[in-house]
Amino acid sequence: MATIEILGATHAYELTPPKASSSPVLVFIHGWLLSRNYWQPLIDRLDDDYQCLVYDLRGFGDSQSPTDKPPKTESASRATTSGGAGATDNAALTSADVDATRLSTSNYSLAAYARDLGILLEKLDIDNAWLIGHSLGGSIALWGASVDSERVKGVICLNAGGGIYLKEEFERFRNVGKQLVKRRPQWLCYLPLIDVLFTRAQVARPLARRWGRQRVIDFVVAHPEAALRSLLDSTTEAEVHRLPQMVSQLQQPVYFLAGANDRVMAPKYVRHLASFHKLFQNGGANVIEIPNCGHLAMVEQPDIVDTQIRRILAESVS
């Protein structure tokens, strides 16, 4: 693991060795209350042919400045150790819109995370990137493609969609999320069989137990402000309605992989957001539904995701 400073926050990242100069760098962006670790099954499959960059978002995993880290008990510390500028000329989304969002209430908005991503790519001298984002990370990838179109050549979203604001459902979702953030005792890591519970959450079939353990750790160590603000800032009515507008303006290819059994982001919502991109006009070809898959496609069905990523890149880069 390497680290890099981005606007006052230490970001943890891993970058595999470079490949052919013409090949894009695959940049993986994780979802809410997760970390970079979940991308490892895909990186193991892809890094023979593509350089891969994986990193922890600000406030999650190991991307926390010492002054921002939540206080840890000795036991929680041991648990962590063991776990291992393209849109500026668009009429609909103006530079003023982008700047206003960047200056929003926190450093944990979608625009702020896209800003961090742009700085990371610049510091690592990556100018030919495909962004692969999961859930919240998919929204960040779309933002990243919008504000840094010179570097970002395409986007692949996993278990990410939306664009429809249902007031009661979103209020319920936000309230549940806030309670999850508030009720995260650090002794949770040592509750017997808690990792077994996490192997079954949001997936079509139980995961290997090590993934349950990793999910418990990431859930507990996420910085409270990052966990709360990233949830609240990304689920406002304005932000939800902004995503389809943004997707409609992207000139890069954008693809969406949906889990057929995903109850967090149902395929119909993935297709809705995908329909705003020009590639959808070709019979919805930019949407791929993965059978027997819940909300963690990269861990549940890594072989299928690997195959689809390779197909998309071969078609788009050729």
Side-chain angles (χ1 to χ4, degrees):
M1 180 190 78
T3 60
I4 194 168
E5 290 295 317
I6 300 176
L7 299 177
T10 300
H11 281 65
Y13 74 94
E14 297 172 51
L15 181 63
T16 63
K19 305 302 177 184
S21 58
S22 59
S23 297
V25 179
L26 307 185
V27 182
F28 297 89
I29 310 167
H30 68 78
W32 189 58
L33 294 181
L34 299 177
S35 68
R36 70 186 190 280
N37 295 286
Y38 304 86
W39 294 113
Q40 196 59 49
L42 281 182
I43 293 173
D44 288 343
R45 290 163 169 79
L46 289 163
D47 70 351
D48 282 345
D49 301 301
Y50 297 96
Q51 186 173 28
C52 299
L53 169 64
V54 61
Y55 72 105
D56 287 334
L57 295 171
R58 177 188 295 261
F60 295 96
D62 294 314
S63 289
Q64 302 186 41
S65 296
T67 57
D68 292 336
K69 287 184 179 179
K72 290 184 180 180
T73 62
E74 182 181 356
S75 60
S77 179
R78 288 199 303 270
T80 306
T81 302
S82 65
T88 55
D89 58 350
N90 289 321
L93 185 67
T94 66
S95 59
D97 291 330
V98 174
D99 291 341
T101 309
R102 282 177 169 164
L103 298 174
S104 67
T105 56
S106 75
N107 286 322
Y108 308 107
S109 66
L110 295 176
Y113 278 122
R115 174 200 61 197
D116 289 344
L117 171 61
I119 295 172
L120 177 64
L121 296 180
E122 182 178 8
K123 286 194 171 188
L124 295 178
D125 197 25
I126 295 173
D127 57 11
N128 180 16
W130 269 71
L131 307 182
I132 302 175
H134 170 254
S135 195
L136 174 71
S139 298
I140 295 170
L142 294 171
W143 262 94
S146 178
V147 301
D148 199 2
S149 61
E150 292 300 315
R151 294 180 187 275
V152 178
K153 309 304 182 182
V155 176
I156 301 173
C157 294
L158 274 62
N159 306 106
I164 301 175
Y165 187 82
L166 304 173
K167 187 173 186 294
E168 291 185 0
E169 290 189 18
F170 268 82
E171 287 180 351
R172 188 182 308 114
F173 175 75
R174 287 158 66 90
N175 286 333
V176 170
K178 285 190 286 187
Q179 292 304 313
L180 283 174
V181 171
K182 290 178 181 178
R183 298 176 180 178
R184 295 180 300 154
Q186 299 194 359
W187 49 259
L188 190 67
C189 290
Y190 293 94
L191 191 65
L193 302 181
I194 188 64
D195 54 339
V196 175
L197 177 63
F198 275 71
T199 65
R200 300 173 181 271
Q202 304 175 341
V203 293
R205 294 176 296 179
L207 303 172
R209 195 162 178 176
R210 67 186 180 92
W211 291 117
R213 180 65 175 168
Q214 185 65 57
R215 295 183 75 183
V216 175
I217 293 169
D218 292 329
F219 176 70
V220 170
V221 304
H223 188 270
E225 185 180 0
L228 183 61
R229 292 311 323 172
S230 61
L231 169 70
L232 298 183
D233 290 356
S234 65
T235 56
T236 64
E237 184 173 2
E239 198 64 66
V240 170
H241 286 158
R242 183 178 285 111
L243 273 182
Q245 177 181 313
M246 180 176 290
V247 170
S248 71
Q249 298 167 10
L250 291 177
Q251 298 304 305
Q252 307 98 315
V254 180
Y255 290 83
F256 295 80
L257 275 60
N261 308 103
D262 192 342
R263 295 184 179 181
V264 177
M265 185 58 67
K268 63 180 180 180
Y269 297 122
V270 176
R271 285 192 292 271
H272 175 76
L273 186 58
S275 71
F276 288 87
H277 192 267
K278 58 185 179 182
L279 287 179
F280 190 82
Q281 307 310 315
N282 186 23
N286 65 332
V287 182
I288 300 100
E289 190 168 309
I290 302 174
N292 301 315
C293 185
H295 193 60
L296 290 171
M298 63 285 198
V299 178
E300 294 181 74
Q301 297 286 3
D303 288 331
I304 295 177
V305 176
D306 167 56
T307 297
Q308 292 299 334
I309 289 175
R310 290 178 179 276
R311 180 187 64 80
I312 289 169
L313 292 173
E315 293 178 357
S316 301
V317 176
S318 61

